[in-house]
């Protein structure tokens, strides 16, 4: 196991100016945090001024996209469509809390540069479905079709 305290000398360099760099971006900005994370003063002020969209997810760790892949994907698609950075999400088959393979295919088309991440999310969801006995929405759809 890695002794995190040995990495302490590098912590400060990583965080110095990070908030200012984020805020200096001129396109629409989206910040996704775990509920235990906090905003520093520059981010708090900018948030109150509406300079970026903030979403906070509960019951997640530092790898939010792995802890809650469906919710993460949904929030990203909502943001991208809100600011017209991609195609509208109207073709999504289910609400953002319950994603299917079709939703993830659309996400890959919407954000080609995130295709690898979407593939990882898809794999995680398939594993979860297999562990839970399948996706309820897909089962109901198949039952209607038969």
């Amino acid at each position: 196991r890695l002794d995190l305290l040995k990495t302490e000398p590098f912590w400060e360099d990583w965080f110095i100016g990070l908030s200012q760099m984020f805020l200096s971006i001129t396109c629409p900005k989206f910040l996704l945090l775990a509920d235990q994370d906090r905003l520093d003063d520059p981010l708090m002020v900018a948030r109150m001024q509406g300079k970026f969209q903030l979403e906070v997810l509960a019951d997640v760790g530092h790898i939010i996209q792995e802890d809650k892949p469906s919710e993460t994907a949904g929030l990203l698609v909502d943001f991208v469509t809100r600011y017209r950075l991609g195609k509208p999400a109207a073709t999504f088959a289910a609400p953002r809390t319950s994603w299917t393979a079709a939703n993830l295919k659309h996400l890959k088309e919407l954000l080609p540069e995130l295709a690898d991440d979407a593939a990882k999310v898809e794999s995680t969801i398939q594993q979860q479905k297999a562990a839970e006995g399948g996706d309820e929405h897909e089962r109901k759809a198949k039952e209607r079709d038969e």
Side-chain angles (χ1 to χ4, degrees):
R1 254 188 130 163
L2 175 67
D3 181 1
L4 288 177
L5 290 177
K6 289 181 180 179
T7 65
E8 186 176 8
F10 305 102
W11 296 352
E12 192 173 306
D13 287 343
W14 167 249
F15 292 106
I16 291 176
L18 187 61
S19 294
Q20 287 77 14
M21 286 191 311
F22 173 74
L23 295 171
S24 71
I25 299 170
T26 58
C27 66
K29 293 174 278 299
F30 177 79
L31 183 60
L32 179 61
L33 296 178
D35 61 347
Q36 72 269 16
D37 292 329
R38 300 290 176 252
L39 297 176
D40 61 12
D41 289 343
L43 288 176
M44 184 67 74
V45 170
R47 172 66 183 118
M48 288 188 279
Q49 295 171 341
K51 294 189 176 182
F52 64 92
Q53 179 179 334
L54 174 67
E55 294 288 344
V56 179
L57 290 180
D59 303 319
V60 295
H62 291 294
I63 308 174
I64 297 172
Q65 70 276 14
E66 289 184 14
D67 293 341
K68 291 199 174 180
S70 297
E71 291 85 345
T72 300
L75 291 169
L76 286 171
V77 169
D78 290 349
F79 175 77
V80 167
T81 55
R82 170 184 282 151
Y83 290 99
R84 298 179 184 183
L85 302 172
K87 299 175 188 173
T91 59
F92 277 62
R96 70 182 186 194
T97 56
S98 179
W99 293 81
T100 65
N103 301 127
L104 290 167
K105 179 179 181 285
H106 186 73
L107 179 61
K108 287 184 228 180
E109 293 167 0
L110 193 65
L111 300 167
E113 64 275 12
L114 296 180
D116 289 339
D117 289 339
K120 290 176 188 172
V121 170
E122 184 174 5
S123 174
T124 301
I125 290 174
Q126 288 174 352
Q127 290 170 1
Q128 289 173 347
K129 286 180 192 175
E132 296 169 359
D135 180 52
E136 186 176 335
H137 292 286
E138 290 178 3
R139 278 197 308 266
K140 287 181 181 179
K142 284 181 183 177
E143 289 173 6
R144 281 193 309 264
D145 293 342
E146 293 174 354

